Amino acid sequence: MNRHFSIYSKVAAAMIILAIVPLIIVGWRTVKINQQITQTNILEINSNRAANLANQIDTFLEELDRQVFLIKNSLAAPITWSDRQAILESLINTNENIISVSIGDETGQEIIKAYNPAREKMPRLISHQSEDLFQNFRKNPKILQRGKVLYQKNQPTLAILYPFIRQNFLFVVVSLEKIQQMVSETHWGRTGQALLLDNDGKILLGPAEEIGKTLPKVQGIQAALGIQGSGSSEFITSSGRKVVACFASLRSNKWKVLVQQDKAEAYTYVTAMERQAILLIVIVLVLAAITAYFLAKGLTNPVRDLIAGAQQIARRNFSVNITVKTKDELAELAETFNQMAHELKKYDEMQIEKILLEKSRTETVFSSIADGLILTDNNGQVLLINNRAREILGIGSEENVADKPLALLSPEKFWSDNLANLLNDNENQTRIIEKTSGSSVTWYLLVSQPIRPTEKLRNASGRIIVLRDITLEKELDQMKENFLHSITHDLRNPMTSIRGFLKFLLDGIGGPLTEQQKKMVETMDRASTRLLNMINDILDIAKLESGKMILTLGETRPEEIARRVLETLSPLAEKKAIKLSIQTANLKTIVADENLLERVFTNLVANAIKYTPQNGEIKIIFSDGPDFWRSEVVDNGEGIPLEYQKKIFDKFQQVAGQQKGGTGLGLTICKYIVEAHGGKIWVESELGQGSRFIFTIPKNLTFNHSISSSLDLKDKNTSNV
């Protein structure tokens, strides 16, 4: 017995899995939770840094705006220009960050100007008419305008234009060195730093190497720049560094404060936690493997001894004895195993004689059966054969055929071919074959049936084959058929004469008849017609079965045939107020025997009229397929029980309790005619729901098609020859 994995390896693996999997799941889940908490804390700290810096910058700009708005009121008073000059200089003196402040007119030309001599050495009155800042002021003269951050002698400056009286303005140039200092002082770790951005993501203030650069246009950054408030994102810098960034918006304008740090440095603690978790898992895995080794060894060694003992018992060595010293359930199992082996030894000694006796009885019964019997295994190897089967197959009584393939059992090719065919199907098979030897013919019935396991014989399998000589039964059937055909043929001629004379009587050629005599003669005429129809049906079936009826193939239209049949049978239907209709499919011209098809439609519709109640309905439905055409005769009559739906196509078969005249041969003739055309016919029905007789005819019939080539005769339905 091959084993891919030993029980030892399975136990050891199970113990390692039970030890390590929960640890991995819990540890990994804990690491992930800690990662999320740590990352959230880091982002929160950086968000606070960004918000604090943004608040400081807002305070700086708001204080400047407050001071400018205070002097605007003083400047707007009716005072001299020298007084205005003094007020401007007082603003310079109170705020050391202001480089210069001036009043400009509506053309953009400065009128008066005050400056900080420590920051501007050569002041002059200039025109701002061409500057974007002034142009924006002209468009919105009541709104404060801030310009772009400019660098003068490596120092950042900002120009601010404040609305003044009569479309004049105050033009303030302020140094951003203090803000630059705030930004520069906001740093931590090795890579943590702050940047001041405009609304396009351009770096205004920050490390010298970063100023003027624009942040990459990734989704997270663009989203942060587009909102008013705070946010966070991860992105790759222009130098290729992966960074974690937090944003905060200024209240006073659209600038953003960004604090960023290399992702590897920001999440150093998280990475360390992952490494520690992996190390812990490896240590536990090693310890679990060592523990599992010793535990599994203690569990599996007794099991291996039991397996070896079971293998000895399988070899019918019942003297085996297993010793286990674990003093636990395994020791109890070994003791129970030893007791079982002892009992099996006693039972084996008792059963040998009984088995031999049963075998002798089985062989005696098998050999005494009159039919030939062959027993094979699932592979077709012969296990047992009786004397009758040897006689039929031409095998000597002393010849050893055990384990011989069934297909090679007989020296005759006839039997080799037929026996080989029985192995092609796992289901029950029944065949009738004809064996010709010179002028003699022998018929055999072959039955092949698989052996099914039963509750008592769970391992039983194989196939049993029965060979039965049915030559006598076939000869009796043939004699019966010949007798029936002969009688019906001899009856037709006198019956024709009888009908002729009855016709003379009805026509008054033999003299006038009284009313009572006429009714008697009409009754005799109807009875003779029925009898003659029965005789004709029997003769037609005989012709169909013998292949003597020739198909007269020609081009025809089945829908036209059906219409003629309905017209012919309409008087019969009108007596019961039955509605006749046809549902066409516009079939093209087909090749078929028109007269025989008309007989099929006539028999099916006539039967439907018989079994359809008053005010019923009968329909003929046509449909067209790729390889065949199909017709259905549908009624709403009594319906046919399931157990009769196949029998009614056999000769003289009618549904019990539903006989309404007829010979019981009409559907048999329909079946033979349809099969003669290479088609199929069947019925679908439910009691009380009516019946649906369906037949199909192939489209590929040729003019050399004959009944003998397509009709399956009753005796050859299961024949191999």
Side-chain angles (χ1 to χ4, degrees):
M1 180 178 174
N2 295 326
R3 296 197 308 270
H4 295 290
F5 299 100
S6 66
I7 189 172
Y8 166 75
S9 61
K10 292 179 180 179
V11 172
M15 296 183 68
I16 292 173
I17 291 172
L18 290 174
I20 201 68
V21 169
L23 177 64
I24 292 175
I25 295 173
V26 174
W28 190 253
R29 183 60 181 162
T30 303
V31 168
K32 288 299 181 183
I33 293 174
N34 288 335
Q35 281 182 347
Q36 294 176 358
I37 294 174
T38 304
Q39 290 174 1
T40 302
N41 291 337
I42 291 171
L43 293 176
E44 185 176 356
I45 292 170
N46 288 342
S47 296
N48 290 336
R49 286 192 177 104
N52 290 336
L53 181 56
N55 188 57
Q56 293 176 26
I57 296 173
D58 275 326
T59 301
F60 176 87
L61 295 175
E62 289 169 356
E63 178 61 22
L64 175 64
D65 293 340
R66 187 185 65 81
Q67 291 176 350
V68 172
F69 285 126
L70 285 175
I71 69 166
K72 276 177 61 178
N73 295 330
S74 300
L75 292 172
I79 58 176
T80 63
W81 285 104
S82 59
D83 291 335
R84 289 191 175 97
Q85 181 72 32
I87 292 172
L88 294 178
E89 290 175 354
S90 67
L91 177 61
I92 294 292
N93 294 331
T94 58
N95 192 333
E96 63 181 3
N97 295 304
I98 297 177
I99 298 175
S100 66
V101 56
S102 61
I103 299 175
D105 60 18
E106 67 273 8
T107 65
Q109 178 64 47
E110 292 180 342
I111 302 171
I112 60 173
K113 185 174 188 178
Y115 63 94
N116 187 338
R119 294 182 178 274
E120 187 170 354
K121 303 299 183 182
M122 299 179 64
R124 59 190 179 88
L125 298 174
I126 61 176
S127 174
H128 300 286
Q129 184 176 12
S130 61
E131 296 176 6
D132 292 340
L133 187 61
F134 179 74
Q135 295 299 325
N136 291 336
F137 170 71
R138 291 291 300 274
K139 295 176 182 178
N140 298 287
K142 294 183 179 181
I143 298 177
L144 180 149
Q145 302 289 338
R146 285 191 173 92
K148 297 180 180 179
V149 176
L150 301 176
Y151 279 81
Q152 297 179 3
K153 297 180 181 180
N154 295 326
Q155 294 183 2
T157 62
L158 175 64
I160 307 175
L161 192 152
Y162 295 90
F164 194 43
I165 58 175
R166 294 189 296 275
Q167 296 187 349
N168 293 340
F169 59 87
L170 289 176
F171 192 84
V172 179
V173 179
V174 63
S175 172
L176 299 181
E177 286 180 341
K178 188 173 182 179
I179 296 178
Q180 172 69 10
Q181 184 180 0
M182 297 176 190
V183 173
S184 299
E185 290 176 351
T186 306
H187 64 85
W188 64 99
R190 183 173 53 84
T191 59
Q193 61 183 8
L195 303 172
L196 182 63
L197 312 175
D198 64 10
N199 58 345
D200 294 324
K202 182 179 179 181
I203 299 175
L204 303 177
L205 298 177
E209 67 274 10
E210 299 290 341
I211 293 174
K213 296 180 180 178
T214 301
L215 296 183
K217 296 185 180 300
V218 297
Q219 183 176 1
I221 295 176
Q222 295 301 313
L225 293 174
I227 63 174
Q228 187 69 18
S230 60
S232 62
S233 178
E234 294 183 8
F235 63 92
I236 300 176
T237 65
S238 57
S239 59
R241 294 186 299 119
K242 293 182 178 180
V243 299
V244 180
C246 291
F247 298 86
S249 301
L250 271 64
R251 298 188 300 273
S252 54
N253 58 23
K254 295 183 179 180
W255 291 351
K256 305 281 184 181
V257 171
L258 177 144
V259 294
Q260 66 179 26
Q261 187 178 15
D262 284 3
K263 185 176 181 180
E265 183 184 18
Y267 297 152
T268 301
Y269 177 70
V270 175
T271 305
M273 287 178 59
E274 289 182 353
R275 292 175 180 172
Q276 291 176 2
I278 293 172
L279 178 61
L280 179 61
I281 291 172
V282 171
I283 293 172
V284 173
L285 178 61
V286 173
L287 294 176
I290 295 172
T291 305
Y293 170 77
F294 290 104
L295 289 176
K297 186 175 181 181
L299 290 172
T300 57
N301 282 345
V303 174
R304 288 178 176 176
D305 293 339
L306 289 170
I307 292 173
Q311 291 173 343
Q312 291 296 321
I313 288 179
R315 299 187 186 100
R316 304 187 65 80
N317 177 16
F318 300 113
S319 301
V320 64
N321 188 67
I322 305 298
T323 302
V324 176
K325 300 179 179 181
T326 57
K327 297 181 180 181
D328 54 15
E329 288 82 356
L330 288 174
E332 294 180 8
L333 177 62
E335 181 63 27
T336 303
F337 181 88
N338 293 334
Q339 294 175 4
M340 179 191 69
H342 180 69
E343 294 297 325
L344 285 174
K345 184 177 180 181
K346 292 194 298 182
Y347 181 79
D348 183 63
E349 292 171 353
M350 294 171 54
Q351 292 298 313
I352 290 176
E353 184 178 350
K354 185 177 180 180
I355 291 172
L356 292 175
L357 179 61
E358 290 294 334
K359 181 180 179 183
S360 176
R361 290 176 178 173
T362 301
E363 289 179 348
T364 301
V365 173
F366 197 78
S367 299
S368 63
I369 295 176
D371 293 330
L373 294 178
I374 304 172
L375 183 65
T376 71
D377 60 16
N378 284 331
N379 298 320
Q381 307 291 322
V382 175
L383 300 177
L384 201 60
I385 182 172
N386 70 353
N387 293 332
R388 178 56 178 156
R390 288 176 179 270
E391 181 184 341
I392 293 174
L393 299 179
I395 303 171
S397 59
E398 302 299 326
E399 183 178 348
N400 183 17
V401 296
D403 297 328
K404 194 171 185 179
L406 182 64
L408 304 178
L409 185 60
S410 174
E412 300 181 29
K413 185 177 184 304
F414 171 81
W415 285 113
S416 297
D417 293 342
N418 282 284
L419 292 177
N421 291 332
L422 296 176
L423 300 177
N424 295 332
D425 193 347
N426 293 328
E427 299 303 321
N428 297 345
Q429 297 186 57
T430 301
R431 298 184 182 183
I432 297 175
I433 60 174
E434 176 185 0
K435 186 174 184 295
T436 304
S437 178
S439 59
S440 65
V441 177
T442 308
W443 292 85
Y444 291 97
L445 173 67
L446 271 63
V447 179
S448 174
Q449 182 174 354
I451 300 174
R452 309 290 186 188
T454 63
E455 186 174 351
K456 293 184 178 180
L457 300 173
R458 296 174 184 262
N459 297 323
S461 61
R463 181 174 288 275
I464 188 166
I465 298 168
V466 180
L467 308 174
R468 177 179 297 171
D469 187 342
I470 59 169
T471 304
L472 180 60
E473 289 92 327
K474 295 293 292 184
E475 290 175 350
L476 290 175
D477 285 343
Q478 188 62 45
M479 291 172 61
K480 180 183 69 175
E481 293 292 333
N482 292 341
F483 174 75
L484 184 61
H485 297 163
S486 176
I487 290 298
T488 54
H489 189 273
D490 291 341
L491 286 175
R492 185 163 66 173
N493 290 333
M495 184 55 61
T496 304
S497 299
I498 292 172
R499 284 189 47 75
F501 285 112
L502 289 173
K503 180 66 173 175
F504 290 156
L505 291 174
L506 288 173
D507 292 341
I509 297 176
L513 300 175
T514 65
E515 192 64 30
Q516 184 176 7
Q517 291 172 337
K518 187 175 181 181
K519 289 182 179 179
M520 292 180 181
V521 173
E522 288 176 347
T523 301
M524 294 169 61
D525 182 62
R526 287 195 296 270
S528 64
T529 300
R530 182 179 176 188
L531 183 58
L532 183 60
N533 288 338
M534 182 183 296
I535 294 170
N536 289 333
D537 286 344
I538 293 173
L539 291 176
D540 287 343
I541 288 178
K543 290 180 181 179
L544 288 165
E545 288 180 340
S546 62
K548 293 179 180 179
M549 181 174 285
I550 304 302
L551 287 180
T552 306
L553 296 178
E555 292 186 349
T556 184
R557 297 181 66 87
E559 293 172 346
E560 293 299 327
I561 298 174
R563 285 192 180 92
R564 290 201 305 268
V565 170
L566 293 184
E567 290 175 0
T568 303
L569 297 177
S570 60
L572 191 61
E574 289 173 359
K575 292 181 180 180
K576 300 174 69 175
I578 295 174
K579 179 183 177 182
L580 303 178
S581 63
I582 183 170
Q583 183 176 317
T584 64
N586 296 321
L587 295 176
K588 297 180 179 178
T589 301
I590 61 151
V591 175
D593 188 316
E594 183 173 341
N595 291 329
L596 291 181
L597 279 187
E598 184 171 350
R599 189 164 184 183
V600 171
F601 281 113
T602 301
N603 287 349
L604 293 179
V605 175
N607 272 356
I609 292 173
K610 286 180 185 178
Y611 295 100
T612 299
Q614 291 283 341
N615 301 311
E617 182 179 3
I618 298 173
K619 292 187 292 185
I620 300 179
I621 303 173
F622 287 93
S623 57
D624 195 8
D627 301 318
F628 60 86
W629 61 272
R630 168 173 167 149
S631 180
E632 305 176 24
V633 178
V634 184
D635 64 61
N636 58 352
E638 302 176 23
I640 301 171
L642 182 62
E643 63 270 20
Y644 282 94
Q645 289 181 15
K646 290 185 179 179
K647 293 181 181 179
I648 57 174
F649 291 100
D650 296 335
K651 288 183 289 188
F652 306 111
Q653 290 291 334
Q654 291 181 311
V655 178
Q658 293 186 5
Q659 289 89 346
K660 297 193 178 184
T663 63
L665 297 174
L667 291 179
T668 306
I669 293 173
C670 291
K671 178 175 180 290
Y672 283 148
I673 292 175
V674 171
E675 290 179 352
H677 284 80
K680 296 179 180 179
I681 185 170
W682 68 96
V683 64
E684 297 174 359
S685 179
E686 292 184 19
L687 282 176
Q689 302 296 321
S691 302
R692 183 183 296 264
F693 284 85
I694 306 166
F695 67 90
T696 60
I697 302 292
K699 294 181 176 181
N700 57 355
L701 290 180
T702 56
F703 287 100
N704 59 358
H705 190 89
S706 65
I707 289 181
S708 60
S709 66
S710 53
L711 183 61
D712 290 332
L713 301 183
K714 176 183 175 183
D715 290 337
K716 294 185 179 180
N717 252 354
T718 55
S719 177
N720 237 4
V721 180

